[in-house]
């Protein structure tokens, strides 16, 4: 795709991947981890943390496997994969609302967390 030459070049280095992984992990999950552990306790907290790690690893493996499952076609975006799995229209109707919910939800979580932190900092 000519309009997005960065992803089509496939010339990424290992530190690009490391940077993107760190920026993806350091976010709302890390900010909420202390609170979640304080509410769950050590045993259930670690169990839930390991369970979420296993689920994340499994979904990552699925995404890697499905990235090039059709010979000659790469699914670089979630909506392309959804359209292949569910059809042109239904794929968009399934994938796009979920992406929007996650994007809007993350923004709300960041604003609430930032507001609470600023309030405590001001006091």
């Amino acid at each position: 795709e000519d309009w997005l030459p960065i992803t089509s070049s496939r010339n990424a280095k290992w530190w690009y991947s490391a940077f993107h992984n760190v920026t993806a992990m350091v976010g709302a999950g890390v900010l909420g981890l202390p609170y979640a552990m304080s509410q769950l306790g050590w045993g259930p907290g670690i169990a839930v943390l390991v369970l979420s790690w296993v689920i994340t690893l499994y979904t990552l493996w699925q995404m890697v496997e499905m990235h090039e499952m059709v010979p000659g076609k790469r699914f670089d975006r979630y909506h392309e994969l959804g359209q292949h799995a569910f059809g042109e229209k239904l794929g968009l109707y399934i994938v796009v609302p979920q992406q929007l919910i996650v994007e809007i939800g993350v923004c709300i979580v960041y604003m609430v967390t930032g507001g609470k932190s600023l309030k405590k900092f001001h006091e």
Side-chain angles (χ1 to χ4, degrees):
E1 297 183 16
D2 295 336
W3 64 274
L4 194 56
I6 296 170
T7 58
S8 63
S9 69
R10 303 190 89 161
N11 292 328
K13 308 285 186 232
W14 70 268
W15 57 83
Y16 296 168
S17 176
F19 175 77
H20 286 296
N21 282 330
V22 168
T23 57
M25 291 184 317
V26 177
V30 171
L31 292 174
L33 188 60
Y35 177 76
M37 290 295 284
S38 70
Q39 295 298 309
L40 290 172
W42 281 106
I46 291 175
V48 169
L49 194 62
V50 169
L51 179 66
S52 67
W53 175 78
V54 168
I55 292 169
T56 302
L57 188 64
Y58 177 68
T59 55
L60 171 70
W61 180 251
Q62 284 182 324
M63 290 298 295
V64 168
E65 288 294 315
M66 289 187 280
H67 177 68
E68 294 180 349
M69 70 179 177
V70 177
K73 172 88 172 125
R74 283 179 33 211
F75 298 111
D76 291 330
R77 290 164 193 81
Y78 289 116
H79 75 270
E80 292 174 351
L81 191 57
Q83 287 175 317
H84 177 74
F86 301 111
E88 291 291 320
K89 279 189 164 186
L90 184 60
L92 288 177
Y93 290 144
I94 290 173
V95 173
V96 172
Q98 291 182 45
Q99 286 183 309
L100 289 174
I101 288 169
V102 168
E103 290 172 6
I104 292 168
V106 166
C107 289
I108 291 170
V109 166
Y110 278 137
M111 284 189 264
V112 169
T113 304
K116 286 182 177 181
S117 298
L118 285 174
K119 183 178 178 184
K120 289 189 180 215
F121 181 74
H122 181 69
E123 292 172 352

